[in-house]
């Protein structure tokens, strides 16, 4: 287990956060938390992944502060990295931020639930898997809520706060307080595949990709139409590249399996790009090549 930055403030923070999964979202949530002065234990199975995550957190924190998205003069929370799930035992809240694969999320949440004290807030950072489905994996379903952080969370300050049918009032209130301490506006929504954002967004991305595949318009024209005609800051295909096309396909599969709606079945172009390893920004190529030319 290793330490990074010690907290600057004299007062103990309200939360001690554990984040499980040091990928794109786990690292982004960690950046958000330490940038708001909260101590974080970041857990992953591989020390090399954790080494890269520490470097990414430092770079993201510098960028977010430079852009005024995180306080420039505030305390920096302590960051501890570990491969041991047991090291989350002292956390006041745990965020699961692993890949959007339901069995993996269930395994991680079960381990986290067993490692922390009763009443500890458990959060699934999920973009599509219903919270009540995941509640079957934890010892105390009333402690589990969902938060769908946007990517990158240190730049986008609104998140979906998902209340599952078994989420308790105390957990929902604790999740709201955590979001407030993270400088996030939590929009409370009900449970169901994809919740609000991805129930709509993933179908839009899928249709946009079909339009490109059918030769109706290239990616840049699809996005320009959404930006210019509808006022979207980013078009659906550039958004897909930011999310990660692998994550888009995983989310579409979750939605398709749980709704039976053919509109969520991942289109061939998305599947081809994922098979080729063209995931978007994180690999340098998706619907665009970075920086910025339509592929």
């Amino acid at each position: 287990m290793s330490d990074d930055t010690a907290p600057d403030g004299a007062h103990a923070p309200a939360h001690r956060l554990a984040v499980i999964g040091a990928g794109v979202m786990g690292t982004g949530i960690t950046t958000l938390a330490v940038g708001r002065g909260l101590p974080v234990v970041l857990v992953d199975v591989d020390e090399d992944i954790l080494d890269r995550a520490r470097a990414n957190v430092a770079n993201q924190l510098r960028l977010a502060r430079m852009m005024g998205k995180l306080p420039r003069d505030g305390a920096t929370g302590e960051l501890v990295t570990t491969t041991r799930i047991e090291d989350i035992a002292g956390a006041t809240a745990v965020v699961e931020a692993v890949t959007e694969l339901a069995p993996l999320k269930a395994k991680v949440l079960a381990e986290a639930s067993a490692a922390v004290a009763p009443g500890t807030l458990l959060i699934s950072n999920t973009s599509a898997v219903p919270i009540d489905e995941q509640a079957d994996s934890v010892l105390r379903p009333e402690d589990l809520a969902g938060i769908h952080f946007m990517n990158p969370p240190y730049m986008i300050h609104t998140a979906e706060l998902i209340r599952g049918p078994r989420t308790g009032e105390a957990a929902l209130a604790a999740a709201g307080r955590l979001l407030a301490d993270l400088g996030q506006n939590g929009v409370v929504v009900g449970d169901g595949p994809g919740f609000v954002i991805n129930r709509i967004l993933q179908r839009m991305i899928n249709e946009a990709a079909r339009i490109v595949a059918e030769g109706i318009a290239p990616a840049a024209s699809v996005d320009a139409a959404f930006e210019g005609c509808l006022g979207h800051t980013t078009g659906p295909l550039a958004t897909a590249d930011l999310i990660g096309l692998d994550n888009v396909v995983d989310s579409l599969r979750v939605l398709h399996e749980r709704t039976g709606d053919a509109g969520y079945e991942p289109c061939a172009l998305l599947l081809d790009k994922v098979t080729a390893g063209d995931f978007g920004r994180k690999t340098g190529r998706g619907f665009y090549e970075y920086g910025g030319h339509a592929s």
Side-chain angles (χ1 to χ4, degrees), residues 1 69 90 98-99 139 147 185 271 275:
M1 187 165 59
K69 297 294 186 178
V98 301
T99 305
L139 296 175
I147 297 179
N185 174 36
L271 294 174
T275 299

Side-chain angles (χ1 to χ4, degrees), residues 217-283:
S221 295
V222 172
D223 283 348
F226 272 82
E227 293 164 10
C229 299
L230 299 179
H232 289 203
T233 303
T234 308
L237 297 174
T239 299
D241 275 359
L242 179 59
I243 294 169
L245 302 188
D246 54 334
N247 296 325
V248 168
V249 167
D250 286 341
S251 295
L252 283 167
R253 284 175 170 151
V254 168
L255 286 157
H256 186 229
E257 289 167 2
R258 285 155 181 80
T259 67
D261 189 329
Y264 293 116
E265 185 173 5
C267 75
L269 179 56
L270 285 172
L271 294 174
D272 288 346
K273 286 184 177 293
V274 170
T275 299
D278 296 337
F279 296 167
R281 283 185 177 271
K282 62 187 174 184
T283 60

Side-chain angles (χ1 to χ4, degrees), residues 3-294:
D3 295 279
D4 262 342
T5 310
D8 300 323
H11 301 291
H15 298 280
R16 297 183 306 279
L17 194 64
V19 177
I20 305 177
V24 171
M25 286 307 300
T27 301
I29 294 164
T30 299
T31 298
L32 171 65
V34 299
R36 291 282 175 177
L38 304 187
V40 176
V41 176
L42 179 61
V43 185
D44 208 295
V45 296
D46 189 292
E47 287 286 2
D48 289 339
I49 292 172
L50 290 168
D51 287 343
R52 289 195 295 272
R54 283 194 296 273
N56 287 338
V57 167
N59 291 335
Q60 291 169 176
L61 186 58
R62 190 178 307 113
L63 175 64
R65 284 177 166 164
M66 181 177 66
M67 297 181 68
K69 297 294 186 178
L70 287 172
R72 293 178 181 176
D73 300 321
T76 300
E78 179 186 28
L79 174 58
V80 172
T81 60
T82 180
T83 58
R84 290 165 35 89
I85 194 70
E86 297 88 351
D87 292 332
I88 74 170
T92 59
V94 180
V95 179
E96 167 275 308
V98 301
T99 305
E100 196 72 5
L101 299 173
L104 178 58
K105 286 184 176 293
K107 177 179 182 293
V108 167
L109 284 168
E111 292 173 352
S113 177
V116 297
T120 302
L121 175 64
L122 298 174
I123 295 165
S124 175
N125 173 57
T126 177
S127 59
V129 181
I131 298 304
D132 203 47
E133 178 181 325
Q134 299 183 66
D136 290 337
S137 304
V138 301
L139 296 175
R140 297 167 293 275
E142 66 275 12
D143 291 343
L144 178 66
I147 297 179
H148 177 204
F149 288 97
M150 303 297 109
N151 183 31
Y154 51 87
M155 295 287 192
I156 301 173
H157 295 159
T158 298
E160 289 179 291
L161 173 52
I162 304 128
R163 180 175 190 167
R166 289 179 276 177
T167 301
E169 291 289 347
L172 191 70
R177 289 193 298 272
L178 175 61
L179 283 171
D181 286 347
L182 291 171
Q184 293 267 324
N185 174 36
V187 178
V188 179
V189 301
D191 201 13
F195 320 113
V196 173
I197 293 294
N198 275 326
R199 184 79 170 263
I200 298 166
L201 176 63
Q202 297 297 347
R203 181 188 289 271
M204 184 168 67
I205 290 171
N206 211 24
E207 284 302 318
R210 285 194 180 105
I211 285 168
V212 172
E214 291 168 11
I216 295 170
S221 295
V222 172
D223 283 348
F226 272 82
E227 293 164 10
C229 299
L230 299 179
H232 289 203
T233 303
T234 308
L237 297 174
T239 299
D241 275 359
L242 179 59
I243 294 169
L245 302 188
D246 54 334
N247 296 325
V248 168
V249 167
D250 286 341
S251 295
L252 283 167
R253 284 175 170 151
V254 168
L255 286 157
H256 186 229
E257 289 167 2
R258 285 155 181 80
T259 67
D261 189 329
Y264 293 116
E265 185 173 5
C267 75
L269 179 56
L270 285 172
L271 294 174
D272 288 346
K273 286 184 177 293
V274 170
T275 299
D278 296 337
F279 296 167
R281 283 185 177 271
K282 62 187 174 184
T283 60
R285 180 196 296 264
F287 284 97
Y288 297 85
E289 291 189 24
Y290 293 91
H293 301 293

